[in-house]
Amino acid sequence: MALSLSGVILPKLMQQRAFSVSAAVAAIQKLTRVRVVDNSALGNAHHHRPPKVIHVYTKNGIGKVGDRVLLAIKGQKKKALIVGHKMPGARMTPRFDSNNVVLIEENGNPTGTRIKAPIPTHLRKMEGEYSKLLAIAQRFV
Amino acid sequence: MFLVHTPLSNMAACTSRVREMMGLLRILRHFPQNERLLSTSILRHAAASDGPPKFTPPTKPVIIDKTQKEASLRRFLSPEFIPPRQRTNPVKFSVERKDMIQRRKVLNIPEFYVGSILAVAMTDPHVNGNLNRFVGICIQRSGKGLGATFILRNVVDGQGVEICYELYNPRMRKIEVLKLEKRLDDNLMYLRDALPEYSSFNFDMQPVHYEITGDVPVSPLKVKMKPKPWSKRWERPKFNIKGIRFDLCLTLEMMEHAQKWAEPWRPYDMLKEYDTFSLEEQIFKEVQGKSQNVNSP
Protein backbone atom coordinates (compact mmCIF):
# COMPACT_ATOMS: atom_id res chain seq x y z
CA MET A 1 0.00 0.00 0.00
CA ALA A 2 2.74 2.44 0.96
CA LEU A 3 5.16 2.58 -1.92
CA SER A 4 3.56 2.35 -5.35
CA LEU A 5 0.28 3.14 -7.07
CA SER A 6 -1.33 0.07 -8.59
CA GLY A 7 0.16 -0.91 -11.92
CA VAL A 8 2.18 2.28 -12.46
CA ILE A 9 5.97 2.27 -12.20
CA LEU A 10 6.87 5.51 -10.43
CA PRO A 11 10.14 7.41 -10.88
CA LYS A 12 12.60 7.07 -7.98
CA LEU A 13 11.70 10.50 -6.56
CA MET A 14 8.03 9.62 -6.16
CA GLN A 15 8.88 6.33 -4.55
CA GLN A 16 10.50 8.20 -1.67
CA ARG A 17 7.03 9.53 -0.87
CA ALA A 18 7.40 13.30 -0.85
CA PHE A 19 3.65 13.58 -0.30
CA SER A 20 1.24 11.58 1.81
CA VAL A 21 -1.32 9.28 0.25
CA SER A 22 -4.13 7.76 2.22
CA ALA A 23 -5.31 4.23 1.44
CA ALA A 24 -8.55 3.88 -0.49
CA VAL A 25 -10.97 5.06 2.15
CA ALA A 26 -14.16 3.11 2.16
CA ALA A 27 -17.07 2.12 4.43
CA ILE A 28 -18.34 5.19 6.32
CA GLN A 29 -16.36 8.42 6.40
CA LYS A 30 -17.09 12.16 6.60
CA LEU A 31 -19.86 13.41 4.33
CA THR A 32 -21.28 9.93 3.74
CA ARG A 33 -25.04 9.96 3.37
CA VAL A 34 -26.52 7.35 5.71
CA ARG A 35 -29.87 5.77 6.32
CA VAL A 36 -31.33 5.87 9.83
CA VAL A 37 -33.01 2.53 10.53
CA ASP A 38 -34.68 3.02 13.91
CA ASN A 39 -38.14 4.46 14.49
CA SER A 40 -37.03 7.69 16.18
CA ALA A 41 -38.85 10.89 15.23
CA LEU A 42 -35.63 12.63 14.21
CA GLY A 43 -34.53 9.77 11.98
CA ASN A 44 -37.83 9.43 10.14
CA ALA A 45 -38.67 13.13 9.80
CA HIS A 46 -38.49 14.13 6.17
CA HIS A 47 -35.89 16.78 5.42
CA HIS A 48 -34.78 18.17 2.09
CA ARG A 49 -31.25 16.80 2.69
CA PRO A 50 -30.28 13.27 3.71
CA PRO A 51 -28.47 12.75 7.06
CA LYS A 52 -24.70 13.03 6.58
CA VAL A 53 -21.73 11.94 8.69
CA ILE A 54 -19.63 14.87 9.88
CA HIS A 55 -17.21 13.04 12.18
CA VAL A 56 -16.14 9.44 12.76
CA TYR A 57 -14.94 8.58 16.28
CA THR A 58 -12.03 6.29 15.31
CA LYS A 59 -8.27 6.70 15.03
CA ASN A 60 -8.45 6.77 11.23
CA GLY A 61 -11.47 8.44 9.74
CA ILE A 62 -13.04 5.16 8.65
CA GLY A 63 -16.19 3.88 10.28
CA LYS A 64 -17.08 0.19 10.28
CA VAL A 65 -19.89 -1.68 12.05
CA GLY A 66 -19.92 -0.78 15.74
CA ASP A 67 -18.22 2.60 15.43
CA ARG A 68 -19.74 5.84 16.67
CA VAL A 69 -20.24 8.71 14.29
CA LEU A 70 -21.60 12.24 14.48
CA LEU A 71 -24.45 12.98 12.09
CA ALA A 72 -25.98 16.21 10.84
CA ILE A 73 -29.76 15.67 10.70
CA LYS A 74 -32.36 18.38 10.29
CA GLY A 75 -29.86 21.09 11.05
CA GLN A 76 -28.74 19.51 14.34
CA LYS A 77 -25.85 17.30 15.46
CA LYS A 78 -26.62 13.81 16.73
CA LYS A 79 -24.47 10.83 17.63
CA ALA A 80 -25.15 7.49 15.96
CA LEU A 81 -23.87 3.92 15.77
CA ILE A 82 -23.06 2.21 12.47
CA VAL A 83 -24.96 -1.05 12.10
CA GLY A 84 -24.16 -1.97 8.52
CA HIS A 85 -22.35 -0.65 5.50
CA LYS A 86 -22.11 -1.33 1.78
CA MET A 87 -18.44 -2.24 1.88
CA PRO A 88 -17.70 -5.98 2.17
CA GLY A 89 -16.10 -6.78 5.53
CA ALA A 90 -14.93 -10.01 7.14
CA ARG A 91 -15.74 -13.21 5.26
CA MET A 92 -18.70 -14.70 7.14
CA THR A 93 -20.31 -11.35 8.05
CA PRO A 94 -23.22 -9.74 6.19
CA ARG A 95 -22.88 -6.88 3.74
CA PHE A 96 -25.86 -4.56 3.43
CA ASP A 97 -27.16 -2.70 0.41
CA SER A 98 -27.28 0.61 2.29
CA ASN A 99 -25.20 2.33 4.98
CA ASN A 100 -27.35 1.85 8.08
CA VAL A 101 -27.09 3.83 11.25
CA VAL A 102 -28.98 3.97 14.60
CA LEU A 103 -29.35 7.25 16.49
CA ILE A 104 -27.83 7.24 19.95
CA GLU A 105 -27.56 9.47 23.04
CA GLU A 106 -24.32 10.49 24.78
CA ASN A 107 -24.51 7.54 27.19
CA GLY A 108 -25.08 4.97 24.45
CA ASN A 109 -28.84 4.59 24.82
CA PRO A 110 -30.77 4.42 21.56
CA THR A 111 -33.11 7.29 20.67
CA GLY A 112 -35.76 5.13 19.00
CA THR A 113 -37.71 2.22 20.43
CA ARG A 114 -37.44 -0.36 17.66
CA ILE A 115 -34.99 -1.33 14.93
CA LYS A 116 -36.73 -3.05 12.06
CA ALA A 117 -33.74 -3.56 9.75
CA PRO A 118 -31.51 -6.63 10.20
CA ILE A 119 -28.44 -6.17 12.42
CA PRO A 120 -25.23 -8.23 12.10
CA THR A 121 -24.79 -10.72 14.96
CA HIS A 122 -21.15 -9.82 15.58
CA LEU A 123 -22.42 -6.53 17.03
CA ARG A 124 -23.40 -8.56 20.09
CA LYS A 125 -19.84 -8.55 21.34
CA MET A 126 -20.47 -4.95 22.42
CA GLU A 127 -23.09 -6.32 24.82
CA GLY A 128 -21.91 -4.16 27.73
CA GLU A 129 -21.92 -0.82 25.99
CA TYR A 130 -24.94 -1.12 23.70
CA SER A 131 -27.08 -3.71 25.47
CA LYS A 132 -30.23 -1.53 25.21
CA LEU A 133 -29.68 -1.11 21.49
CA LEU A 134 -29.32 -4.86 20.97
CA ALA A 135 -32.45 -5.41 23.03
CA ILE A 136 -34.59 -3.26 20.73
CA ALA A 137 -33.23 -4.89 17.57
CA GLN A 138 -35.84 -7.19 16.05
CA ARG A 139 -33.85 -9.17 13.56
CA PHE A 140 -30.29 -10.49 13.53
CA VAL A 141 -28.59 -11.78 10.41
CA MET B 1 -41.89 -64.95 20.05
CA PHE B 2 -39.80 -65.32 23.23
CA LEU B 3 -36.11 -66.03 23.49
CA VAL B 4 -35.04 -69.30 25.13
CA HIS B 5 -31.74 -69.20 27.06
CA THR B 6 -30.58 -72.74 27.91
CA PRO B 7 -27.83 -73.15 30.53
CA LEU B 8 -24.59 -74.40 28.94
CA SER B 9 -24.07 -76.99 31.68
CA ASN B 10 -27.08 -79.01 30.53
CA MET B 11 -25.53 -80.10 27.22
CA ALA B 12 -27.95 -82.92 26.30
CA ALA B 13 -31.05 -80.84 26.91
CA CYS B 14 -29.32 -78.01 25.07
CA THR B 15 -28.75 -79.98 21.85
CA SER B 16 -32.30 -81.36 21.74
CA ARG B 17 -33.72 -77.91 22.33
CA VAL B 18 -31.39 -76.55 19.68
CA ARG B 19 -32.74 -79.13 17.20
CA GLU B 20 -36.28 -78.03 18.11
CA MET B 21 -35.31 -74.42 17.63
CA MET B 22 -33.68 -75.15 14.25
CA GLY B 23 -36.91 -76.77 13.14
CA LEU B 24 -38.86 -73.76 14.34
CA LEU B 25 -36.33 -71.54 12.66
CA ARG B 26 -36.96 -73.15 9.29
CA ILE B 27 -40.66 -72.37 9.71
CA LEU B 28 -39.98 -68.93 11.09
CA ARG B 29 -37.77 -67.99 8.15
CA HIS B 30 -41.00 -67.14 6.42
CA PHE B 31 -41.62 -64.50 9.04
CA PRO B 32 -38.52 -62.32 8.75
CA GLN B 33 -39.28 -60.14 11.75
CA ASN B 34 -38.70 -62.97 14.16
CA GLU B 35 -35.67 -64.50 12.48
CA ARG B 36 -33.31 -61.82 13.78
CA LEU B 37 -34.59 -62.43 17.33
CA LEU B 38 -33.74 -66.13 17.25
CA SER B 39 -30.96 -66.62 14.73
CA THR B 40 -27.93 -65.23 16.58
CA SER B 41 -28.62 -67.00 19.86
CA ILE B 42 -29.38 -70.28 18.12
CA LEU B 43 -26.18 -70.14 16.09
CA ARG B 44 -24.21 -69.47 19.25
CA HIS B 45 -25.68 -72.49 20.98
CA ALA B 46 -25.25 -74.68 17.91
CA ALA B 47 -21.63 -73.62 17.67
CA ALA B 48 -21.03 -74.47 21.33
CA SER B 49 -21.77 -78.11 20.56
CA ASP B 50 -20.28 -78.35 17.01
CA GLY B 51 -16.72 -76.98 17.49
CA PRO B 52 -14.82 -73.83 16.31
CA PRO B 53 -17.45 -71.36 15.05
CA LYS B 54 -17.51 -70.11 11.51
CA PHE B 55 -17.87 -66.38 11.80
CA THR B 56 -20.84 -65.03 9.89
CA PRO B 57 -21.12 -61.29 10.27
CA PRO B 58 -24.63 -59.96 10.89
CA THR B 59 -26.28 -58.33 7.88
CA LYS B 60 -25.77 -54.58 7.84
CA PRO B 61 -28.29 -52.39 6.02
CA VAL B 62 -26.46 -51.02 2.96
CA ILE B 63 -28.33 -48.37 1.02
CA ILE B 64 -27.58 -48.82 -2.67
CA ASP B 65 -29.60 -46.79 -5.13
CA LYS B 66 -30.09 -49.56 -7.67
CA THR B 67 -32.59 -47.49 -9.67
CA GLN B 68 -29.83 -45.34 -11.21
CA LYS B 69 -26.83 -46.73 -13.04
CA GLU B 70 -23.59 -45.01 -12.17
CA ALA B 71 -23.09 -43.92 -15.76
CA SER B 72 -26.34 -41.92 -15.79
CA LEU B 73 -25.59 -39.97 -12.58
CA ARG B 74 -24.65 -36.39 -13.26
CA ARG B 75 -20.88 -35.86 -13.09
CA PHE B 76 -20.16 -32.70 -11.16
CA LEU B 77 -16.75 -31.45 -10.13
CA SER B 78 -16.93 -28.43 -7.83
CA PRO B 79 -15.13 -25.52 -9.55
CA GLU B 80 -12.79 -24.85 -6.62
CA PHE B 81 -10.98 -28.15 -7.28
CA ILE B 82 -9.69 -27.04 -10.67
CA PRO B 83 -6.36 -25.29 -10.04
CA PRO B 84 -5.75 -21.96 -11.79
CA ARG B 85 -3.03 -21.66 -14.41
CA GLN B 86 -0.22 -20.26 -12.32
CA ARG B 87 3.46 -20.64 -11.70
CA THR B 88 2.95 -22.20 -8.27
CA ASN B 89 4.13 -25.69 -7.38
CA PRO B 90 1.44 -28.32 -8.16
CA VAL B 91 2.24 -29.90 -4.78
CA LYS B 92 0.36 -27.02 -3.18
CA PHE B 93 -2.79 -27.88 -5.13
CA SER B 94 -2.58 -31.60 -4.43
CA VAL B 95 -2.06 -31.05 -0.70
CA GLU B 96 -5.00 -28.61 -0.62
CA ARG B 97 -7.14 -31.11 -2.51
CA LYS B 98 -6.36 -33.75 0.10
CA ASP B 99 -7.54 -31.39 2.84
CA MET B 100 -10.66 -30.50 0.88
CA ILE B 101 -11.58 -34.16 0.39
CA GLN B 102 -10.99 -34.76 4.09
CA ARG B 103 -13.33 -31.90 5.00
CA ARG B 104 -15.97 -33.16 2.56
CA LYS B 105 -16.03 -36.46 4.42
CA VAL B 106 -17.24 -34.60 7.50
CA LEU B 107 -19.45 -31.93 5.96
CA ASN B 108 -21.66 -32.65 2.99
CA ILE B 109 -21.06 -29.91 0.42
CA PRO B 110 -23.75 -30.50 -2.21
CA GLU B 111 -23.64 -29.70 -5.87
CA PHE B 112 -24.89 -26.17 -6.53
CA TYR B 113 -24.50 -23.48 -9.15
CA VAL B 114 -24.82 -19.73 -9.36
CA GLY B 115 -28.57 -19.13 -9.32
CA SER B 116 -29.43 -21.95 -6.91
CA ILE B 117 -31.16 -21.15 -3.65
CA LEU B 118 -29.24 -22.39 -0.60
CA ALA B 119 -29.79 -22.51 3.14
CA VAL B 120 -26.59 -22.30 5.19
CA ALA B 121 -26.19 -22.89 8.93
CA MET B 122 -22.98 -21.74 10.59
CA THR B 123 -21.90 -21.67 14.23
CA ASP B 124 -22.16 -18.25 15.77
CA PRO B 125 -21.19 -17.61 19.40
CA HIS B 126 -23.50 -14.59 19.46
CA VAL B 127 -26.68 -16.53 18.66
CA ASN B 128 -28.77 -18.37 21.27
CA GLY B 129 -28.86 -21.81 19.70
CA ASN B 130 -25.31 -21.44 18.34
CA LEU B 131 -26.53 -21.87 14.75
CA ASN B 132 -27.06 -18.91 12.46
CA ARG B 133 -29.20 -19.87 9.46
CA PHE B 134 -29.37 -17.85 6.26
CA VAL B 135 -31.25 -18.51 3.04
CA GLY B 136 -30.35 -16.83 -0.22
CA ILE B 137 -29.62 -17.12 -3.91
CA CYS B 138 -26.02 -17.84 -4.86
CA ILE B 139 -24.82 -14.89 -6.93
CA GLN B 140 -21.13 -15.73 -7.22
CA ARG B 141 -18.71 -18.60 -6.64
CA SER B 142 -15.07 -17.62 -6.48
CA GLY B 143 -11.76 -18.72 -5.04
CA LYS B 144 -9.87 -21.94 -5.59
CA GLY B 145 -8.80 -24.53 -3.08
CA LEU B 146 -9.62 -24.18 0.59
CA GLY B 147 -10.42 -20.48 0.28
CA ALA B 148 -13.36 -21.08 -2.04
CA THR B 149 -16.31 -18.79 -1.28
CA PHE B 150 -19.84 -18.24 -2.46
CA ILE B 151 -22.09 -15.23 -1.90
CA LEU B 152 -25.73 -15.61 -0.91
CA ARG B 153 -28.10 -12.73 -1.43
CA ASN B 154 -31.54 -12.14 0.05
CA VAL B 155 -33.82 -9.23 0.88
CA VAL B 156 -34.66 -9.27 4.60
CA ASP B 157 -37.27 -6.79 5.91
CA GLY B 158 -36.78 -4.63 2.85
CA GLN B 159 -33.00 -4.53 3.30
CA GLY B 160 -30.78 -6.34 0.80
CA VAL B 161 -28.21 -8.53 2.58
CA GLU B 162 -25.32 -10.46 1.08
CA ILE B 163 -23.12 -12.88 3.00
CA CYS B 164 -19.89 -14.29 1.58
CA TYR B 165 -19.46 -17.80 2.99
CA GLU B 166 -16.29 -19.85 2.88
CA LEU B 167 -17.03 -23.44 1.81
CA TYR B 168 -14.30 -25.03 3.92
CA ASN B 169 -14.55 -22.85 7.01
CA PRO B 170 -14.87 -25.01 10.15
CA ARG B 171 -17.76 -22.81 11.27
CA MET B 172 -19.93 -24.12 8.45
CA ARG B 173 -22.34 -26.69 9.83
CA LYS B 174 -24.84 -27.39 7.08
CA ILE B 175 -25.24 -26.43 3.44
CA GLU B 176 -28.60 -27.35 1.99
CA VAL B 177 -29.75 -26.79 -1.56
CA LEU B 178 -33.39 -25.66 -1.52
CA LYS B 179 -33.67 -25.24 -5.28
CA LEU B 180 -31.03 -26.43 -7.71
CA GLU B 181 -31.00 -24.45 -10.91
CA LYS B 182 -28.70 -22.51 -13.19
CA ARG B 183 -29.27 -19.09 -14.68
CA LEU B 184 -28.30 -17.56 -18.01
CA ASP B 185 -25.10 -16.08 -16.48
CA ASP B 186 -22.53 -17.44 -14.07
CA ASN B 187 -22.29 -14.19 -12.11
CA LEU B 188 -25.46 -12.58 -10.80
CA MET B 189 -23.96 -9.41 -9.29
CA TYR B 190 -26.47 -7.39 -11.35
CA LEU B 191 -29.19 -8.49 -8.92
CA ARG B 192 -28.02 -5.60 -6.71
CA ASP B 193 -29.40 -3.20 -9.34
CA ALA B 194 -32.43 -5.29 -10.19
CA LEU B 195 -35.84 -4.90 -8.60
CA PRO B 196 -35.84 -6.38 -5.07
CA GLU B 197 -38.47 -9.01 -5.94
CA TYR B 198 -35.80 -10.97 -7.87
CA SER B 199 -33.60 -11.32 -4.77
CA SER B 200 -36.27 -12.05 -2.13
CA PHE B 201 -36.62 -15.59 -0.89
CA ASN B 202 -38.59 -16.84 2.07
CA PHE B 203 -36.51 -18.15 4.95
CA ASP B 204 -39.02 -20.97 5.49
CA MET B 205 -38.84 -22.10 1.90
CA GLN B 206 -39.19 -25.87 1.51
CA PRO B 207 -36.60 -27.77 -0.53
CA VAL B 208 -37.71 -28.42 -4.11
CA HIS B 209 -37.00 -31.93 -5.36
CA TYR B 210 -34.40 -32.17 -8.12
CA GLU B 211 -33.14 -35.01 -10.29
CA ILE B 212 -29.67 -36.44 -9.83
CA THR B 213 -29.46 -37.51 -13.47
CA GLY B 214 -29.62 -35.45 -16.59
CA ASP B 215 -28.92 -31.76 -17.01
CA VAL B 216 -29.45 -29.09 -14.39
CA PRO B 217 -32.51 -26.94 -15.28
CA VAL B 218 -31.53 -23.54 -16.66
CA SER B 219 -33.99 -20.81 -15.71
CA PRO B 220 -34.63 -18.49 -18.69
CA LEU B 221 -35.59 -15.66 -16.31
CA LYS B 222 -34.64 -12.17 -17.51
CA VAL B 223 -34.56 -9.65 -14.75
CA LYS B 224 -36.06 -6.12 -14.73
CA MET B 225 -33.70 -3.45 -13.49
CA LYS B 226 -34.05 -0.36 -11.36
CA PRO B 227 -33.48 2.92 -13.21
CA LYS B 228 -29.89 3.83 -14.04
CA PRO B 229 -27.27 4.60 -12.58
CA TRP B 230 -26.27 1.05 -11.72
CA SER B 231 -23.28 -0.05 -9.67
CA LYS B 232 -21.62 -1.31 -12.86
CA ARG B 233 -22.42 -0.69 -16.53
CA TRP B 234 -23.99 -4.09 -17.06
CA GLU B 235 -24.86 -3.40 -20.69
CA ARG B 236 -21.17 -3.45 -21.67
CA PRO B 237 -20.01 -6.57 -23.56
CA LYS B 238 -17.21 -7.27 -21.05
CA PHE B 239 -19.83 -8.60 -18.60
CA ASN B 240 -21.61 -10.55 -21.33
CA ILE B 241 -24.90 -10.62 -19.43
CA LYS B 242 -27.85 -12.45 -20.92
CA GLY B 243 -30.19 -12.37 -17.94
CA ILE B 244 -31.30 -8.70 -18.00
CA ARG B 245 -34.26 -7.23 -19.91
CA PHE B 246 -32.26 -4.50 -21.60
CA ASP B 247 -35.14 -3.67 -23.96
CA LEU B 248 -37.13 -2.26 -21.02
CA CYS B 249 -34.42 -0.01 -19.58
CA LEU B 250 -32.09 0.95 -22.46
CA THR B 251 -32.62 2.45 -25.89
CA LEU B 252 -31.06 1.01 -29.05
CA GLU B 253 -28.60 3.93 -29.17
CA MET B 254 -27.39 3.14 -25.65
CA MET B 255 -26.94 -0.54 -26.57
CA GLU B 256 -24.94 0.37 -29.67
CA HIS B 257 -22.89 2.87 -27.67
CA ALA B 258 -22.06 0.09 -25.22
CA GLN B 259 -20.75 -2.06 -28.11
CA LYS B 260 -17.88 0.45 -28.50
CA TRP B 261 -16.24 -1.37 -25.58
CA ALA B 262 -16.51 -4.73 -27.29
CA GLU B 263 -13.29 -6.73 -27.62
CA PRO B 264 -14.03 -9.07 -30.54
CA TRP B 265 -10.51 -10.54 -30.47
CA ARG B 266 -11.00 -12.07 -26.99
CA PRO B 267 -12.37 -15.50 -28.03
CA TYR B 268 -9.41 -15.86 -30.41
CA ASP B 269 -6.71 -14.96 -27.89
CA MET B 270 -4.62 -18.15 -27.67
CA LEU B 271 -2.59 -17.02 -24.70
CA LYS B 272 -5.75 -16.91 -22.61
CA GLU B 273 -6.71 -20.48 -23.49
CA TYR B 274 -6.83 -22.87 -20.56
CA ASP B 275 -7.91 -26.38 -21.41
CA THR B 276 -8.88 -28.17 -18.22
CA PHE B 277 -10.40 -31.33 -19.71
CA SER B 278 -7.65 -33.79 -18.75
CA LEU B 279 -7.07 -32.06 -15.41
CA GLU B 280 -10.77 -32.33 -14.60
CA GLU B 281 -10.87 -36.03 -15.43
CA GLN B 282 -7.93 -36.76 -13.18
CA ILE B 283 -9.21 -34.63 -10.29
CA PHE B 284 -12.72 -36.09 -10.60
CA LYS B 285 -11.32 -39.60 -10.22
CA GLU B 286 -9.33 -38.48 -7.19
CA VAL B 287 -12.34 -36.85 -5.54
CA GLN B 288 -14.68 -39.77 -6.25
CA GLY B 289 -12.20 -42.37 -5.10
CA LYS B 290 -11.79 -40.93 -1.67
CA SER B 291 -15.10 -39.24 -0.91
CA GLN B 292 -17.34 -42.30 -0.84
CA ASN B 293 -18.84 -41.40 2.52
CA VAL B 294 -20.53 -38.27 1.14
CA ASN B 295 -24.25 -38.73 0.53
CA SER B 296 -25.38 -37.87 -2.96
CA PRO B 297 -28.47 -35.66 -3.16
Side-chain angles (χ1 to χ4, degrees):
Chain A
M1 153 179 112
L3 279 183
S4 59
L5 297 170
S6 59
V8 176
I9 303 161
L10 291 175
K12 195 86 202 274
L13 181 63
M14 301 274 259
Q15 277 171 2
Q16 279 156 21
R17 186 59 74 233
F19 48 88
S20 74
V21 174
S22 58
V25 188
I28 310 234
Q29 51 171 325
K30 286 192 186 183
L31 296 186
T32 317
R33 289 162 296 181
V34 289
R35 176 186 162 214
V36 177
V37 290
D38 56 9
N39 65 346
S40 56
L42 193 58
N44 293 37
H46 195 263
H47 198 58
H48 58 94
R49 304 171 73 168
K52 277 194 189 159
V53 172
I54 50 179
H55 190 264
V56 183
Y57 293 102
T58 51
K59 290 290 179 186
N60 49 10
I62 303 165
K64 305 273 179 167
V65 174
D67 292 335
R68 276 203 200 199
V69 291
L70 186 61
L71 296 187
I73 309 182
K74 289 206 77 168
Q76 38 182 292
K77 293 183 279 194
K78 188 82 183 165
K79 287 229 175 116
L81 183 81
I82 302 174
V83 291
H85 48 70
K86 272 178 108 167
M87 178 174 146
R91 248 348 55 93
M92 310 275 261
T93 55
R95 182 205 85 101
F96 297 90
D97 276 2
S98 60
N99 298 318
N100 298 340
V101 120
V102 171
L103 296 182
I104 230 169
E105 307 294 333
E106 292 298 324
N107 50 11
N109 289 354
T111 313
T113 53
R114 226 173 299 164
I115 303 175
K116 202 162 176 263
I119 306 278
T121 49
H122 64 92
L123 206 55
R124 273 205 189 275
K125 67 175 186 282
M126 334 198 119
E127 193 70 57
E129 238 184 302
Y130 300 114
S131 53
K132 293 210 184 90
L133 194 139
L134 294 166
I136 64 171
Q138 288 188 328
R139 190 130 187 188
F140 283 92
V141 161
Chain B
M1 278 304 289
F2 53 88
L3 221 56
V4 173
H5 288 285
T6 55
L8 273 171
S9 54
N10 204 342
M11 287 297 278
C14 174
T15 44
S16 64
R17 210 159 282 188
V18 161
R19 252 182 267 120
E20 268 177 29
M21 283 299 166
M22 288 301 237
L24 267 169
L25 199 61
R26 248 176 268 125
I27 299 164
L28 283 168
R29 236 172 259 276
H30 298 290
F31 304 99
Q33 70 269 28
N34 295 331
E35 186 180 33
R36 203 156 43 88
L37 263 174
L38 293 174
S39 61
T40 47
S41 57
I42 293 304
L43 279 170
R44 228 189 311 133
H45 289 289
S49 43
D50 286 328
K54 182 172 163 278
F55 175 65
T56 44
T59 48
K60 247 192 273 185
V62 176
I63 304 157
I64 306 168
D65 192 8
K66 288 209 174 104
T67 56
Q68 311 288 354
K69 285 201 209 72
E70 207 185 296
S72 69
L73 282 172
R74 184 167 52 229
R75 281 171 56 118
F76 173 71
L77 181 64
S78 213
E80 71 265 8
F81 279 105
I82 303 162
R85 192 177 60 154
Q86 278 179 352
R87 283 182 61 189
T88 54
N89 201 337
V91 170
K92 177 205 175 203
F93 300 126
S94 60
V95 167
E96 254 190 337
R97 226 175 298 139
K98 224 172 86 174
D99 282 339
M100 283 151 78
I101 293 166
Q102 195 62 37
R103 176 67 183 159
R104 274 176 184 251
K105 284 185 186 156
V106 180
L107 170 71
N108 174 31
I109 298 174
E111 161 194 10
F112 67 97
Y113 303 89
V114 169
S116 318
I117 300 167
L118 304 187
V120 168
M122 70 167 178
T123 51
D124 200 335
H126 306 297
V127 171
N128 280 343
N130 270 354
L131 279 184
N132 189 355
R133 187 170 180 267
F134 188 76
V135 170
I137 184 170
C138 177
I139 59 174
Q140 183 186 272
R141 280 189 84 160
S142 67
K144 301 285 179 196
L146 286 168
T149 58
F150 63 99
I151 305 183
L152 290 187
R153 181 182 166 80
N154 204 339
V155 174
V156 175
D157 289 341
Q159 169 78 61
V161 183
E162 288 175 12
I163 308 188
C164 181
Y165 288 104
E166 289 172 320
L167 277 169
Y168 297 97
N169 194 319
R171 283 169 67 188
M172 298 288 269
R173 285 283 203 87
K174 189 168 179 224
I175 305 174
E176 201 186 327
V177 174
L178 297 177
K179 187 171 186 195
L180 183 75
E181 71 174 357
K182 277 197 204 182
R183 294 279 212 119
L184 293 167
D185 314 295
D186 59 358
N187 199 311
L188 296 177
M189 284 298 196
Y190 56 81
L191 287 182
R192 290 175 184 169
D193 300 313
L195 296 174
E197 64 197 46
Y198 296 102
S199 316
S200 338
F201 301 96
N202 195 354
F203 264 58
D204 308 315
M205 189 170 150
Q206 293 304 309
V208 169
H209 172 77
Y210 54 87
E211 302 293 318
I212 53 173
T213 58
D215 292 322
V216 179
V218 179
S219 165
L221 180 65
K222 287 202 170 204
V223 137
K224 293 191 191 136
M225 303 292 275
K226 289 192 219 162
K228 270 202 156 204
W230 298 330
S231 57
K232 296 250 180 248
R233 297 175 210 256
W234 302 114
E235 71 276 8
R236 297 223 173 147
K238 118 170 179 200
F239 296 109
N240 192 21
I241 289 177
K242 302 190 172 54
I244 297 183
R245 293 268 336 246
F246 286 119
D247 51 332
L248 293 178
C249 45
L250 296 181
T251 59
L252 262 169
E253 289 102 21
M254 290 160 94
M255 292 300 287
E256 274 157 28
H257 180 67
Q259 290 305 316
K260 278 172 79 170
W261 282 268
E263 291 172 331
W265 59 85
R266 276 246 182 261
Y268 306 102
D269 194 343
M270 291 175 79
L271 283 182
K272 294 218 192 299
E273 277 174 11
Y274 183 33
D275 186 20
T276 54
F277 184 70
S278 50
L279 254 174
E280 267 187 52
E281 295 280 302
Q282 178 212 332
I283 296 171
F284 186 73
K285 276 196 204 103
E286 207 182 308
V287 171
Q288 286 296 94
K290 295 182 188 170
S291 59
Q292 270 157 2
N293 300 356
V294 176
N295 305 327
S296 41

